[in-house]
Amino acid sequence: MPDLGKYAAEVLLAYGVSLFILIGIVVLSWRQSQRTKRDLDAAEAQCNG
Amino acid sequence: MWEYANPKRFMGWTAPVLPWAFGLSAVCLTIGLIWGFFFTPVDFRQGSTVKIIYLHVPSALMAINAWVMMLMASLIWLVRRHHVSALAAKAAAPVGVAMTLIALATGAIWGQPMWGTYWAWDPRLTSFLILFLFYLGYMALWAAIEDPDTAADLTSVLCIVGSVFAFLSRYAVNFWNQGLHQGASLSLDKEKNVADVFYQPLLFAIGGFVILFFALVLLRTRTEIRKRRIGALQRREG
């Protein structure tokens, strides 16, 4: 861990918040994509069946 | 070029590109952020808060560029009625919100120790906040209108109007020589650019944010195309 001096809290908070938002948008997008894919497969199966 | 934007072709070429895009963005972000956080010196004036630059500059850049991408996609929709372009604009908005939120949050966290305040009604900060509100309004408008073509028309108009603030977010510092926010951190003029020791990891971080944006927009556009297909199937059944 580098020595962040008296601004350690600010730097760590900035990294924490940013990584939370970045990981959040990736996970949400991925989960939404998987859910929609399943729904489309089900809808197509219903149409074909 | 337009044939690649045909929904079926789009789904075909984006499937193999996505894992590479996500992988490359992860590599660039990991290099940029680890290099910047662990292996760069502290600034003689800003101390260790200079390390926030690796998050703030790329996210602010992408917050504006996401809107520019949405503007181009919206214009293509209005001129050519190309459905994938309208869906790509819709898909980009939540990613733009995330980028704007990171830029605003990291700017506020940096501002408290450096400026003595989390927020000031400075031209650049204010135009950035308005851009953030435009993002939210844009998403709300898509959600509020049932007919997708009408929603695409109206959101495209909103996107054109909001572009003023995307433009101001970038150039407000140059227009109004007042406020707290400094000029651009990156410049082709070596004298004005940040020092090389900060510049090199920053380039990796910017590359990571750009590629992540590209990957997320592709992924979310694919989702929007699938949603549109589900709607069509339900209408046919129902």
Side-chain angles (χ1 to χ4, degrees):
Chain A
M1 186 76 172
D3 178 17
L4 299 173
K6 60 180 177 176
Y7 301 127
E10 285 85 354
V11 176
L12 292 175
L13 182 63
Y15 273 77
V17 168
S18 302
L19 292 179
F20 177 78
I21 296 171
L22 279 182
I23 293 168
I25 186 78
V26 171
V27 170
L28 283 178
S29 302
W30 186 256
R31 283 175 63 175
Q32 201 180 15
S33 161
Q34 295 303 104
R35 195 171 53 236
T36 312
K37 196 176 175 186
R38 275 198 306 273
D39 290 349
L40 179 58
D41 289 344
E44 283 179 335
Q46 202 176 0
C47 277
N48 297 331
Chain B
M1 186 185 88
W2 297 109
E3 64 185 273
Y4 292 102
N6 165 289
K8 208 167 183 177
R9 291 290 298 268
F10 182 86
M11 295 300 275
W13 74 260
T14 52
V17 167
L18 266 180
W20 288 99
F22 275 110
L24 193 58
S25 72
V27 168
C28 287
L29 277 174
T30 305
I31 293 174
L33 295 182
I34 288 182
W35 187 353
F37 187 84
F38 289 97
F39 303 109
T40 56
V42 296
D43 181 67
F44 74 103
R45 265 184 305 197
Q46 300 180 45
S48 62
T49 62
V50 72
K51 293 177 190 294
I52 297 175
I53 196 177
Y54 308 109
L55 297 162
H56 182 71
V57 171
S59 59
L61 191 79
M62 288 319 297
I64 297 168
N65 287 345
W67 195 274
V68 173
M69 176 255 148
M70 286 162 57
L71 173 66
M72 290 193 293
S74 298
L75 289 174
I76 291 169
W77 162 254
L78 289 174
V79 175
R80 293 189 65 114
R81 312 305 282 177
H82 210 299
H83 285 91
V84 172
S85 66
L87 295 179
K90 183 184 181 186
V95 189
V97 167
M99 298 294 173
T100 314
L101 209 51
I102 293 173
L104 286 170
T106 53
I109 294 167
W110 179 90
Q112 173 57 26
M114 291 300 111
W115 294 341
T117 180
Y118 286 108
W119 181 261
W121 294 103
D122 158 286
R124 180 174 261 188
L125 271 65
T126 307
S127 52
F128 232 94
L129 179 65
I130 297 172
L131 179 65
F132 178 67
L133 297 176
F134 261 95
Y135 269 120
L136 297 184
Y138 179 89
M139 287 164 60
L141 194 54
W142 264 109
I145 300 168
E146 209 165 306
D147 178 56
D149 285 3
T150 309
D153 284 341
L154 295 178
T155 52
S156 295
V157 173
L158 182 69
C159 190
I160 292 167
V161 176
S163 300
V164 174
F165 293 96
F167 185 74
L168 280 180
S169 303
R170 174 69 185 82
Y171 294 106
V173 176
N174 307 44
F175 292 153
W176 293 283
N177 193 20
Q178 62 182 52
L180 288 171
H181 204 289
Q182 66 271 39
S185 301
L186 298 176
S187 169
L188 292 174
D189 182 350
K190 209 168 166 54
E191 290 292 307
K192 292 180 188 166
N193 206 7
V194 292
D196 279 351
V197 68
F198 304 119
Y199 181 63
Q200 288 153 354
L202 181 57
L203 281 186
F204 274 98
I206 290 173
F209 269 80
V210 171
I211 302 166
L212 180 64
F213 171 76
F214 175 71
L216 282 169
V217 171
L218 289 187
L219 177 67
R220 298 184 68 91
T221 306
R222 287 169 62 85
T223 302
E224 293 299 331
I225 290 171
R226 286 190 176 118
K227 279 186 188 168
R228 187 68 70 94
R229 172 95 181 123
I230 291 169
L233 288 174
Q234 284 171 343
R235 277 194 298 278
R236 198 197 294 171
E237 284 291 294

